[in-house]
Amino acid sequence: MSKILNNKVDVSVIMAAYNCEPYIRESIESILNQTFENFELIIVNDNSTDNTHEIIKSYNDSRIKILNNDNNYGAAYSRNVAIKHAQGKYLAIMDSDDVALQERLEKQVYFLENNIDIDIVGSFVFEIDKDGQKLSFVKTPINKNEVKSSILFRSPVIHSTTMIRHDFFISNDLFYNENYICAQDYEMFSRAIFLGNIYNIPQALVSYRWTDSNISTKKKDIQQQYSKEIISNLLSKFQIEPTKEDIEKHNIFINQEKFDKNKHTINEILDWCEFIYKKNIETNLFDRKTFSEELLLRLLRFSVVNSFKIFNILSYQIKMTCRFGKFYFPYFKIKRRRVIKYK
């Protein structure tokens, strides 16, 4: 059991809850059973129509604080409400269907206490199914340069693993964009990454639940729309005004859209990689070496997803390295990025 840092609340755990009756009990109890005890758990019931509210009220623990929305306003609004009521030095984000491993809070508090240059910390996760069975072990970029260089291609932090310095969040006005139905976390990280440093502990501290609602076609389409907007804003930091075609090529490159050989050529994708590589040199937005390695790894993933032959994959990697005019060898990172499947 960890020691209390001070007499005040050290961690405010933020949980937005809407119609999560099947899972919220396990989620709440995973927080109540943490080895680190000096926390408050702020749960915002977003006008649920199932038994979510009754389950939350059934707990007799002074650390639980319940807030109720008078309408269904969405997760971004609910998290913002919780954060405005938070008293902790640190904010720990927790989704209402996920499960925190017992030492999650203790390890993240210890990390932030001992790494004052880091403002946000996440971790790896286990993906679990609706019954709690492990599906996979998911890794993320680790150090601050890797995390920052990944932001243009994906959200580099798994939201439900996040712990944030409260004063950093408030002073930089990092409240979630309530206009975003999906991808609010990616949008928030896309702002935070240029204001502070983010690190991922290379260990699973949360079990992230993967259910049918995660992968619905409708949700994927909406998520992609918001991701395009975020990417457009990120590309504008390269001092360009991205066109619709630019966003389309970028989305193909990061595998959010199908690569249609009748519509695009591989050279267009290589040209796009070279273009953003050179833009990064001009703007010095990301660490040059780390960003270049990330581009090569993303190109490798793009090639594999599109089932290119091994000779072609090697050819594209060599061509891209030649275009960079400098040799980068990021492939040692593949093992520590690889998702491990259990089923």
Side-chain angles (χ1 to χ4, degrees):
M1 187 180 298
S2 64
K3 65 179 182 179
I4 295 173
L5 301 181
N6 51 56
N7 293 326
K8 298 179 181 178
V9 175
D10 292 320
V11 180
S12 296
V13 182
I14 306 303
M15 184 183 293
Y18 175 69
N19 285 0
C20 46
E21 178 183 349
Y23 309 117
I24 191 167
R25 188 177 296 280
E26 187 178 6
S27 185
I28 290 173
E29 291 180 3
S30 76
I31 296 298
L32 297 181
N33 293 326
Q34 289 288 298
T35 55
F36 189 92
E37 294 186 333
N38 190 27
F39 64 83
E40 61 179 355
L41 172 56
I42 305 175
I43 307 174
V44 180
N45 171 37
D46 195 21
N47 202 36
S48 298
T49 57
D50 62 1
N51 289 320
T52 294
H53 189 222
E54 286 68 27
I55 293 171
I56 300 168
K57 288 196 304 180
S58 70
Y59 288 92
N60 183 24
D61 191 310
S62 61
R63 295 173 296 180
I64 297 178
K65 303 190 170 50
I66 308 170
L67 303 172
N68 293 296
N69 292 339
D70 58 8
N71 208 330
N72 178 230
Y73 294 114
Y77 176 92
S78 298
R79 291 189 188 108
N80 286 342
V81 167
I83 290 167
K84 288 172 185 175
H85 284 80
Q87 299 296 313
K89 181 179 180 180
Y90 302 115
L91 305 171
I93 308 302
M94 186 70 194
D95 287 345
S96 57
D97 54 356
D98 294 341
V99 181
L101 276 65
Q102 202 170 16
E103 294 184 332
R104 178 206 165 170
L105 298 184
E106 181 175 356
K107 290 191 173 184
Q108 291 188 311
V109 167
Y110 180 85
F111 181 87
L112 289 173
E113 286 291 304
N114 289 279
N115 294 273
I116 59 173
D117 63 317
I118 303 298
D119 303 290
I120 299 176
V121 64
S123 75
F124 294 174
V125 297
F126 293 116
E127 280 187 345
I128 57 174
D129 64 16
K130 61 184 179 62
D131 300 316
Q133 297 298 308
K134 286 182 184 177
L135 299 173
S136 58
F137 176 46
V138 180
K139 306 172 187 179
T140 51
I142 298 172
N143 68 52
K144 59 188 181 183
N145 280 338
E146 289 177 346
V147 171
K148 189 172 183 179
S149 293
S150 306
I151 194 71
L152 192 58
F153 310 108
R154 59 170 171 172
S155 179
V157 188
I158 297 170
H159 191 223
S160 203
T161 71
T162 308
M163 185 176 282
I164 311 171
R165 296 185 189 276
H166 194 166
D167 57 353
F168 171 75
F169 188 96
I170 298 299
S171 62
N172 288 293
D173 192 21
L174 290 173
F175 287 99
Y176 295 88
N177 189 330
E178 294 171 16
N179 294 320
Y180 277 60
I181 300 171
C182 296
Q184 310 105 336
D185 56 329
Y186 187 18
E187 194 280 330
M188 186 270 286
F189 293 137
S190 75
R191 289 180 282 131
I193 202 78
F194 299 104
L195 301 168
N197 293 318
I198 304 177
Y199 184 94
N200 282 310
I201 294 172
Q203 177 183 357
L205 296 178
V206 171
S207 291
Y208 170 78
R209 198 178 302 273
W210 192 256
T211 63
D212 291 342
S213 62
N214 294 94
I215 55 176
S216 67
T217 302
K218 182 179 179 181
K219 188 170 183 179
K220 274 187 175 180
D221 290 343
I222 295 170
Q223 184 107 3
Q224 196 174 112
Q225 288 173 18
Y226 286 113
S227 292
K228 284 182 178 180
E229 187 174 321
I230 295 163
I231 287 166
S232 179
N233 291 334
L234 286 167
L235 287 171
S236 68
K237 291 183 178 293
F238 280 134
Q239 298 174 5
I240 60 172
E241 293 183 15
T243 64
K244 184 178 178 181
E245 186 180 23
D246 290 336
I247 300 298
E248 183 179 323
K249 281 187 289 189
H250 192 78
N251 253 31
I252 291 168
F253 177 57
I254 62 175
N255 311 124
Q256 282 195 292
E257 290 183 8
K258 189 178 185 305
F259 178 60
D260 186 347
K261 294 179 182 177
N262 295 318
K263 190 175 180 182
H264 295 279
T265 66
I266 186 63
N267 277 330
E268 287 180 273
I269 303 302
L270 295 178
D271 288 346
W272 176 250
C273 288
E274 183 181 7
F275 177 70
I276 57 178
Y277 167 79
K278 289 180 176 177
K279 280 295 179 183
N280 184 55
I281 293 174
E282 290 175 17
T283 58
N284 201 29
L285 199 61
F286 305 110
D287 175 78
R288 184 183 299 190
K289 179 176 182 293
T290 312
F291 186 70
S292 303
E293 290 179 344
E294 192 67 34
L295 277 171
L296 287 170
L297 288 172
R298 296 302 308 191
L299 179 61
L300 179 61
R301 184 178 186 276
F302 165 81
S303 301
V304 172
V305 167
N306 285 284
S307 302
F308 295 148
K309 294 179 180 178
I310 186 65
F311 175 81
N312 290 330
I313 293 174
L314 291 172
S315 173
Y316 302 148
Q317 293 288 315
I318 292 168
K319 283 182 181 178
M320 202 68 256
T321 302
C322 290
R323 291 189 184 204
F324 289 171
K326 191 169 183 179
F327 181 73
Y328 296 102
F329 190 84
Y331 310 107
F332 66 93
K333 294 182 179 181
I334 292 173
K335 185 177 179 181
R336 63 181 172 91
R337 290 280 191 94
R338 183 172 59 89
V339 173
I340 299 172
K341 299 285 186 182
Y342 294 116
K343 289 186 178 181

